[in-house]
Every structure is written in structure tokens, then in C-alpha cells.
RNA sequence: GUGGUUGUAGCUCAGCUGGUUAGAGCGCUGGAUUGUGGUUCCAGAGGUCGCCGGUUCGAACCCGGUCUUCCACCCCA
């Protein structure tokens, strides 16, 4: 019985046009990664479950795709657990591998395992799919690509500045104007929490703060109260909600607000330095914006936090993010190794470029020359012509069958081929071919011996 | 994971309070045009109405389940 085929929720097929567009983005990112001195690595699509568990918080653990043990996976389950239907207890008995959830944790694992072979500071990039058992939405998939660049073993703030430049270079190359790179600092956040006396509630405090642009000040206050943050703490944090002006103004306000928190002040100074370096280096299209409500990846970020958001008017969450993590490798037994990294969300960047019509037209021009097929003897001559064109690096093809000219031309038209070559009986006799420019409709005859003439016209 | 939403031709979508043979535009195939596409005209093909079950004399339409899409929450690229 034939059944309708389907693919799992949140996954997609990519047709030739989409692959061309995805490769265009990937190649742009890759090119900049390499000019910035990053080296490529790849890691397995699945890891040992224990490598991933506990690294992304409770929510993250839930979203990790677990792989069922092979063979008789119930073999190791004792009857009591089986009867009890306790998923949490059952889990470790039936699964010990899981699909990669991001590229950062596998990278940390990689660094620890290969520490003796690596030159520090080590700059790596990695472009691979990751998987999350999330509920799909627009721009949110269960299988998607991340493009990560990280440096480990370098403390300097220059690294952060480099990543700002890298974001700018990539988005500028893609023609994406109006991308805002939001910046914050983990120490600023913890400093604030400490000053207002909500130090133990740091996570709840920042998670609530992060929703500012979504639910507004009132909503944030309501959520903070709900999480048990005191009224006076919230009152003290009020100035944060209305932090205004340019980045320098905000820095000044934070300096005053964070008097008395050494860590907080250190965070502010780091941000100030980062702004200063960036100002002297200059930016092309990227806009830099200090945003104290930005609170991402708190499970491992310890310093600067980045988030790139789509240009205003495009309904898409963040299209990239990153930050500094002082001790990511610590959990794998390698202490005191500082890292900074950023990520580009390929799939979301795709959707944004598509919505804004920013993909170059030539991505659809997959064939430069199509040779019409007039029958056996003409086609043989045409094959020789096509072979020469291919050796010259031209994307050329011969229509495989002697179909009606109308059909062959229509095919060329749909494939957006700019030149159609005609090599029929007449041309064969005179040792020439006709090239038709499909845009202008003009035709020109060339000698088969003088291909260069045609190649120049291409 | 919670709540909601969507699904009709290859694509984008109509389809009235349930009523014969489910429509349009685009695309596709053939012809006008046996060495010329993109424009025009003519003709044609193409549908288990997401899937399973129920109500009914009768279901694309109502009910239940399920899958999928998108949205909000959670979280995130």
C-alpha cells in the first residue's frame, strides 16, 4: 500500500534554489571567519548524553533529542522502575547518546580532549546542524544550522572587539542594513541584582528584565513580584527601565547606579572599553547598542553578552548571539580557560534576506550556456563544443534529446540560461555556431575555431 | 510541555445555513508556429478536499481523534 511520505515536524527539504541561497550565506560567513583567522573543525552529530545534560539548564535538558539505546533497550531496566512509569528514573537506563544541541558545548569538550595538540589562543569556526526538540514556529526549527566562531585562551577585550567587527563584516557583505548588535555584560547584571538586594534571584531577575521590549515595564515588574523579588528591590531597579540616551550616556548612568558593586563597575568599564575600541576601528552597517535588558545564555556566559537582532520591520527574533564564558571547559576538567564566541543563525538570516529581497539574482543562474540538440550528428559536434566550454570553466550543457525547439528554448528560459547555442545542419557544414542572448534576443554567429570570441562576449 | 490556529489541483487561494458531476489564477501538456523562449490566442490533463473514525437520507462543510502549519506562553538561533 502506497503511503503519503512525510518528514518529521520542524525539519525541511532544501531544493536547488534554496541550497544555492544557503550556500551563499554559508560561504559569506565562512569567508569572513577565515579572513579573521578562524580554523574549521567538525564534531559528531551526536554526543554522549552526559556531555550535554546539565549544560543548558532544566529547559535545555528537556529540549535535547535523546537517542534510544540500540538492541534490547529495556534489558537494563529493573522491573520496579518499569512498573513505576517514572520517566526521569527510566531515562538514563534507556538512552546514553543525544543529538548535538548547540556547537559551544561540543567545542568545549573538543578543546579539553585535544588540549595537547592545540595552539592557544585557539580560534575555531564550525558550521553544522544542531537539533532541538522544540515546538516549531516561524524561524524556529527542530533541525537548524549554527555558524559559530569562538576563541579560547585569550582574555583580552580585543577579542570582543574583533567579534563586533566580524558581525559587521558579515552582515555588511550580505547587504543586511540596520542590524542592531545589542551588548550587555553578565557582571553588570549581577552587579545590579546585588545592589538592589536581589543577588540570590539573579536569574529570575534577569529573565524578567529580558522581557522588557515584549511585555513592557509593567509586565516586567509584575513578573519580578511573582518571582518573589521585593518591592523595594524593584523600586531600586527602576532607573534601569528608563535607561536612555546613547551608549556613552548609558555607561555614565550605569557607573552611578553601580557604585558599591565592584564586579558591576568592572563590567561597565569593560563595556566602555569595548565601545571605545569599536569607535576607533569604525563600523560599516552594524549598529551597536548597550541594552541592560539583554540576558541570554546565563548558564555559561560570564562577561560580555551579544545578540544580533533583525532589522526593524522584520518579525524575526535574534539572528545571532554570543558572549564570553570564563570557565566553559571547567566542567570537563580544564580550569582557567577563558573563551568568547558568537553564532550566526543561518536559517533565520535566510528568512530575513528572503523577506527583504536581498539574495543576488545570479544565484538562480545555474547554467550559463545551453546547447540545442538537433539530432545525432549535430549533437556530437555540440558535445565537443560543450566540452571545450566546460574546460574553459563555463557552466554548459547540451539538451539531452532531440526535442522540439520550442521545448528546448522553454527549458532554457525556465532555467534562466543567458545564452542558448544553436549548432544545426547549416552551422555544422560551415563550422560555426549561433549564440542567442536570451535577454536581448539578439543572435550572433561564431566560428567553432574561434571560441575565445564567444567567451569574451559571455 | 500548556493554550489556540491552519490544511481544498504542482503553487497561491475561492467554495454560502450540510444538497447532484468541487472552482479560479498561475504553472503544466498539446496546437496556432517542422530553426527560436520570454507576449498573445485555442484546447486539454491534473483532486483519496491532510489522515482515521462518527453524526446524517446526504459531509470539503458538523463532531471526536491524529498528523501538519502558524501564533501566544516557556525557551531560543
Amino acid at each position: 500500500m502506497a503511503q503519503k511520505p512525510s518528514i518529521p515536524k520542524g525539519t525541511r527539504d532544501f531544493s536547488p534554489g534554496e541550497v544555492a541561497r544557503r550556500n551563499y550565506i554559508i560561504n559569506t560567513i565562512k569567508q569572513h571567519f577565515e579572513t579573521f583567522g578562524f580554523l574549521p573543525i567538525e564534531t559528531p552529530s551526536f554526543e554522549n548524553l552526559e556531555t550535554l545534560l546539565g549544560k543548558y539548564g532544566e529547559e535545555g535538558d528537556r529540549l535535547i533529542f535523546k537517542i534510544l539505546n540500540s538492541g534490547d533497550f529495556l534489558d537494563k531496566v529493573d522491573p520496579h522502575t518499569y512498573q513505576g512509569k517514572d520517566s526521569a528514573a527510566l531515562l538514563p537506563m534507556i538512552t546514553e547518546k543525544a543529538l548535538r544541541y548547540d556547537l559551544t558545548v561540543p567545542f568545549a569538550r573538543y578543546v579539553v580532549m585535544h588540549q595537547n595538540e592545540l595552539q592557544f589562543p585557539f580560534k575555531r569556526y564550525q558550521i553544522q546542524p544542531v537539533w532541538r526538540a522544540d515546538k516549531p514556529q516561524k524561524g524556529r526549527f527542530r533541525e537548524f544550522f549554527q555558524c559559530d566562531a569562538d576563541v579560547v585562551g585569550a582574555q583580552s577585550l580585543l577579542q570582543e572587539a574583533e567579534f563586533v567587527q566580524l558581525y559587521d563584516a558579515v552582515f555588511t557583505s550580505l547587504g543586511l542594513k540596520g542590524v542592531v548588535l545589542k551588548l550587555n555584560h553578565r557582571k553588570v547584571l549581577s552587579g545590579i541584582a546585588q545592589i538592589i538586594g536581589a543577588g540570590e534571584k539573579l536569574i529570575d531577575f534577569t529573565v524578567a528584565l529580558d522581557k522588557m521590549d515584549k511585555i513592557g515595564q509593567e509586565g516586567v515588574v509584575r513578573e519580578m513580584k511573582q518571582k518573589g523579588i521585593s518591592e523595594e528591590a524593584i523600586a531600586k531597579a527602576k532607573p534601569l527601565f528608563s535607561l536612555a540616551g546613547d551608549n556613552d550616556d548609558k555607561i555614565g548612568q550605569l557607573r552611578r547606579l553601580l557604585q558599591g558593586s565592584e564586579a558591576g563597575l568592572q563590567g561597565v568599564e569593560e563595556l566602555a572599553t569595548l565601545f571605545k575600541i569599536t569607535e576607533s576601528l569604525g563600523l560599516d552597517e552594524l549598529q551597536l547598542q548597550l541594552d541592560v535588558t539583554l540576558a541570554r545564555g546565563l548558564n555559561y556566559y560570564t562577561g560580555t553578552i551579544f545578540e544580533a537582532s533583525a532589522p526593524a520591520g522584520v518579525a524575526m527574533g535574534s539572528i545571532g548571539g554570543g558572549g564570553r564564558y570564563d570557565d566553559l571547559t571547567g566542567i570537563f576538567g580544564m580550569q582557567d580557560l577563558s573563551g568568547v564566541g558568537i553564532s550566526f543563525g543561518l536559517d533565520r538570516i535566510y528568512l530575513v534576506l528572503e523577506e527583504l529581497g536581498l539574495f543576488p539574482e545570479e544565484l538562480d543562474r545555474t547554467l550559463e550556456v545551453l546547447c540545442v540538440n538537433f539530432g545525432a550528428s549535430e549533437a556530437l559536434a555540440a558535445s565537443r563544443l560543450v566540452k571545450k566550454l566546460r574546460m574553459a570553466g563555463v557552466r554548459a550543457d547540451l539538451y539531452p534529446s532531440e526535442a522540439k525547439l520550442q521545448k528546448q528554448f522553454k527549458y532554457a528560459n525556465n532555467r534562466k540560461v543567458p545564452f542558448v547555442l544553436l549548432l544545426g545542419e547549416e552551422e555544422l557544414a560551415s563550422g560555426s555556431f549561433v549564440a542567442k542572448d536570451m535577454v536581448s534576443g539578439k543572435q550572433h554567429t561564431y566560428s567553432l575555431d574561434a571560441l575565445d570570441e564567444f567567451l569574451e562576449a559571455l
Side-chain angles (χ1 to χ4, degrees):
Chain A
M1 265 252 265
Q3 51 169 5
K4 262 190 190 171
S6 63
I7 56 174
K9 187 201 298 212
T11 66
R12 296 145 303 155
D13 284 328
F14 299 114
S15 292
E18 295 164 292
V19 172
R21 284 163 174 72
R22 289 169 66 83
N23 284 343
Y24 161 73
I25 300 172
I26 289 173
N27 291 338
T28 303
I29 292 172
K30 198 188 275 185
Q31 182 207 320
H32 287 294
F33 280 175
E34 290 182 357
T35 55
F36 274 70
F38 291 89
L39 300 168
I41 71 160
E42 294 188 11
T43 63
S45 51
F46 54 97
E47 295 272 349
N48 290 324
L49 181 58
E50 58 179 26
T51 302
L52 305 183
L53 276 183
K55 311 300 190 297
Y56 310 103
E58 208 176 307
E59 183 71 14
D61 283 355
R62 206 194 54 168
L63 297 177
I64 293 172
F65 270 111
K66 287 100 185 163
I67 297 174
L68 199 57
N69 288 344
S70 359
D72 186 1
F73 56 83
L74 281 181
D75 200 37
K76 292 180 192 160
V77 181
D78 60 278
H80 180 259
T81 309
Y82 183 73
Q83 296 288 330
K85 291 193 173 181
D86 180 348
S87 304
L90 186 63
L91 195 70
M93 301 176 184
I94 60 171
T95 169
E96 46 198 32
K97 294 175 290 299
L99 291 177
R100 183 169 57 213
Y101 177 89
D102 74 352
L103 301 179
T104 308
V105 168
F107 174 53
R109 190 226 79 219
Y110 170 92
V111 169
V112 173
M113 284 182 67
H114 297 266
Q115 50 185 294
N116 295 324
E117 316 151 24
L118 299 176
Q119 277 291 317
F120 292 97
F122 180 58
K123 300 174 77 169
R124 86 86 171 77
Y125 77 85
Q126 189 172 357
I127 299 175
Q128 289 191 280
V130 301
W131 295 269
R132 294 184 189 178
D134 213 341
K135 207 159 183 173
Q137 286 180 30
K138 187 180 182 183
R140 172 184 268 193
F141 307 98
R142 298 182 121 179
E143 177 182 61
F144 61 97
F145 268 68
Q146 288 191 332
C147 313
D148 275 30
D150 289 77
V151 184
V152 287
Q155 306 268 325
S156 165
L157 268 175
L158 270 174
Q159 295 305 332
E160 271 89 337
E162 288 250 85
F163 283 119
V164 173
Q165 294 295 313
L166 183 51
Y167 268 128
D168 186 39
V170 168
F171 289 131
T172 300
S173 279
L174 291 172
L176 204 49
K177 296 173 200 268
V179 174
V180 176
L181 185 66
K182 292 182 191 163
L183 281 173
N184 198 4
H185 201 289
R186 165 65 181 256
K187 285 178 181 158
V188 169
L189 287 170
S190 51
I192 293 165
Q194 182 196 329
I195 294 268
I196 66 171
E200 288 91 67
K201 300 265 184 188
L202 174 65
I203 298 287
D204 286 335
F205 172 76
T206 50
V207 165
L209 197 59
D210 188 54
K211 292 177 189 166
M212 182 65 80
D213 53 351
K214 210 173 208 174
I215 58 178
Q217 185 170 330
E218 255 175 69
V220 171
V221 170
R222 199 181 324 125
E223 175 151 342
M224 285 182 177
K225 278 183 193 161
Q226 226 167 48
K227 295 286 182 180
I229 294 167
S230 71
E231 299 265 359
E232 65 248 63
I234 295 173
K236 276 191 195 164
K238 272 268 163 69
L240 275 181
F241 299 165
S242 52
L243 213 56
D246 63 18
N247 293 327
D248 283 346
D249 294 339
K250 289 180 187 167
I251 292 279
Q253 291 168 63
L254 282 177
R255 277 192 182 118
R256 281 191 293 283
L257 203 76
L258 287 169
Q259 286 304 320
S261 164
E262 199 183 323
L265 282 174
Q266 192 194 337
V268 179
E269 291 320 312
E270 287 193 10
L271 287 174
T273 306
L274 181 52
F275 282 122
K276 206 186 289 170
I277 298 172
T278 301
E279 198 178 323
S280 106
L281 287 173
L283 287 176
D284 219 327
E285 294 290 350
L286 194 70
Q287 292 165 40
L288 217 52
Q289 191 182 89
L290 172 54
D291 183 352
V292 288
T293 70
L294 172 63
R296 291 299 155 98
L298 287 176
N299 286 303
Y300 44 81
Y301 291 144
T302 53
T304 328
I305 306 170
F306 301 106
E307 182 175 293
S309 52
V314 183
M316 184 66 61
S318 65
I319 55 177
R324 181 174 284 273
Y325 39 87
D326 276 330
D327 199 28
L328 192 66
T329 52
I331 38 175
F332 298 124
M334 188 176 177
Q335 308 298 328
D336 300 321
L337 189 64
S338 183
V340 213
I342 60 168
S343 180
F344 290 87
L346 167 65
D347 302 83
R348 288 191 175 177
I349 292 172
Y350 184 107
L351 291 170
V352 171
L353 292 185
E354 174 142 84
E355 192 165 332
L356 296 176
L358 291 175
F359 282 112
E361 254 177 61
E362 56 266 27
L363 291 177
D364 286 323
R365 211 185 302 139
T366 49
L367 197 58
E368 294 166 279
V369 167
L370 179 74
C371 205
V372 170
N373 189 325
F374 281 103
S377 54
E378 291 93 335
L380 193 59
S383 286
R384 281 196 291 270
L385 175 58
V386 164
K387 180 173 179 178
K388 281 187 200 163
L389 288 167
R390 287 173 177 167
M391 287 195 301
V394 176
R395 280 180 280 193
D397 212 350
L398 167 68
Y399 197 87
S401 62
E402 188 187 351
K404 294 178 65 168
L405 273 199
Q406 180 173 257
K407 194 180 168 82
Q408 300 194 39
F409 266 92
K410 201 161 190 167
Y411 176 82
N413 206 53
N414 291 342
R415 288 277 313 257
K416 299 191 163 110
V417 181
F419 284 96
V420 170
L421 304 190
L422 299 129
L423 206 170
E425 203 179 341
E426 273 175 50
E427 289 80 10
L428 194 55
S430 65
S432 64
F433 67 92
V434 171
K436 173 163 182 164
D437 182 326
M438 294 296 278
V439 178
S440 69
K442 285 186 183 146
Q443 301 193 166
H444 201 282
T445 305
Y446 297 92
S447 165
L448 276 171
D449 301 325
L451 251 192
D452 291 351
E453 254 182 81
F454 171 63
L455 290 175
E456 273 170 42
L458 261 181

